[in-house]
Amino acid sequence: MKFRLTLLSVIFTSISLFCFAQEQPRLKTFSIPKGLTVDFRQSASQFNPILEFRVLPKPDEGADEATIEKVQKELAKYRLRRNTGSSNQRSQATADSLVMLRNFSGNLFNGYVPNDNDMAISNGDIVCSVSNTTIHSKDQYANQVHGSFALHNITSGLGLAQEEFDPKVLYDPVSNRFIMVCLNGFTDSTSNVIVGFSQDTTSFGNWNFYALPGNPLNNSLWTDFPMLAVNDSNLFITVNLLYNDSTWQAGFNESLIWKINKSEGYSGVTLNPVLYSNIHHNGEPIRNLCPVRGGSGLYGPDFFFLSNRNFAASGDTVFLVTLPPGPSALPSVQPVVTNVGYHMPLDADQPFTDKLAVNDARFLGAYYENGMIQGVASSLDTVSGYDGIFHIRMDNLSGPPFALSYIYTEALLDLAYPNIAYAGTSPFSHASVISLLKSNSTTFPGCGAVYYDFNGDYSAVKSVKEGQGYTNMLAGIERWGDYTGCQTRYNMPGTVWMNGSYSIVNHQTRTWIAELVPSALASAQELPGSSEEVKVYPNPATEQVTVDFTLNSDDLIVVNLTDGSGKLVSVVYRGHIIKGKNSITIDTSSLSKGVYIMTVINGKGIQIGNKSFVRN
């Protein structure tokens, strides 16, 4: 009997070790030569073909989605609670409101759905936004639009079919460069991950492009849904592998992490990326890894990813994936239980019979700041019956991590496709801006944002762009989007830029881009006048003008330029300045002739002074 027990113990131990070994992440290295260099300024030969509402990456018809349908039916009972005005976890608009500064139309529409939006803003005031099959650039400082460059030109140059989808873009504040990723192809034999690195500080000059394999493990799978982030040394791209002839809902196999030395990409030399696969917990693959970006700057040495059970009717567990530095280091997975659970969202309402697809509850954005991760996902609010934003704060990351979570709802609105960026202005702040899409049965689909302050309170939804009509581009449920763009302006504390979609009168969708700050950083009104504490010269001015002011202590300063009627022309400067006498000089050559006012505001939103000048 003792012998049998010992033998069984050995067998059990062997099985356990085998299962444990099977669950260990694996890494694989590659060598990827540069495919081509593209100058986005050379756009004369672009034809930019427009298709009649092409769905990317693939329609859902025919997919075996019995499990998802079961979850949706289970949650449908909560829709009966709609129109009651009840809400769940949010504080009732006690935080500062958001103020929208510069805002404008984004990428050209070319018939592709859903209207996937992402954007980045450089420290030099250059906006780069992507939507479906175009990349759009605008130099805010020079107020010059450089147009929408068709991604078809890139894939054609790489010898690939014109099957681009899921574009993403980011700004690297350490290297002062842009990085763009998009996918290409919908089968294992055609799938590629296209990665572009800007050669200079602009988004409209030369870029180096590479094609990573979309079937990197040679197991008849293809790549879907990229997400990206950077640290000091590397670019991280996460993707999902899907089976052929299936969809992102039913065809999931596993999620992967690509790690790429970003300096190789900026230099245009051969890439030597590392691929991490087989990332599991209890034998199940971790799904939809969301890279955690830096908050006020980049972080390290460990790099983090968030995940959850995105199709759960009700879930209270999120997964923290940690990748240590080093060539042989492997990612680890830690489950973290939240205090408030999340739920798979339901399709959203609009003033039309076709509903708007909200996909699932995966994390769509996350950042790290001051030892804490904040992340956001779509979730049904079971109290109000509307879709809201699942917002998590995770602390004590070295272990064991713990999380506080909330479901943000706005009365009688469906909210979806959130992203999040750091919006703090002082050390140890945890303030954030959450971008989102919004709609209901009487409100046309549009986009907006919410401010979350360091006290843990939320603002009301700030409307960034109201819809002008309902969405009607497909037969049946409309593809509302897959994500929104949201990024901190790294050299302007408290400032966040976003882009999102809205519907127009002909029932198609368009992109809107906006700059957002909490109301404490924006003056309510700039009035003509003068102050002994502020001096502006020369006056009159032609090519440039200088503003002098004195501070009694170090402070966050905002300098606004307005016209003679008090209308904001530009936020000239926003950032920390040391005490004493300070001078800021700006280029006024692009201003029209007339009277302008320079206003200086401190970090508490109090006006230090203003001074008018004439532009000759």
Side-chain angles (χ1 to χ4, degrees), residues 75 78-79 343-346 378-382 385-388 407:
L75 294 173
Y78 297 111
R79 283 296 166 103
H343 312 271
M344 179 179 168
L346 297 177
S378 299
S379 174
L380 177 68
D381 172 23
T382 56
Y386 286 85
D387 290 327
I407 294 181

Side-chain angles (χ1 to χ4, degrees), residues 236-346:
F236 299 91
I237 306 172
T238 62
V239 297
N240 295 332
L241 289 185
L242 306 183
Y243 293 102
N244 286 327
D245 300 317
S246 191
T247 65
W248 57 266
Q249 297 101 326
F252 174 79
N253 177 268
E254 68 170 316
S255 294
L256 308 175
I257 301 172
W258 287 96
K259 183 174 75 172
I260 301 170
N261 185 312
K262 63 186 185 182
S263 64
E264 295 176 348
Y266 296 138
S267 301
V269 300
T270 296
L271 300 182
N272 296 280
V274 178
L275 180 70
Y276 301 90
S277 62
N278 207 49
I279 305 169
H280 289 66
H281 176 68
N282 288 342
E284 294 293 328
I286 299 296
R287 184 168 184 156
N288 306 312
L289 288 165
C290 176
V292 178
R293 297 189 179 189
S296 60
L298 306 185
Y299 69 93
D302 290 347
F303 200 81
F304 303 110
F305 307 82
L306 287 184
S307 180
N308 62 6
R309 297 187 173 105
N310 58 307
F311 288 128
S314 180
D316 63 359
T317 302
V318 300
F319 301 97
L320 175 66
V321 177
T322 304
L323 180 59
S328 60
L330 294 173
S332 62
V333 180
Q334 292 176 279
V336 183
V337 177
T338 63
N339 60 308
V340 174
Y342 54 87
H343 312 271
M344 179 179 168
L346 297 177

Side-chain angles (χ1 to χ4, degrees), residues 56 132-133 151-152 155 161-166 182-184:
L56 298 176
N132 295 332
T133 62
L151 301 184
H152 296 327
T155 52
Q162 294 184 353
E163 296 179 338
E164 311 87 14
F165 63 101
D166 283 358
C182 74
L183 302 183
N184 178 264

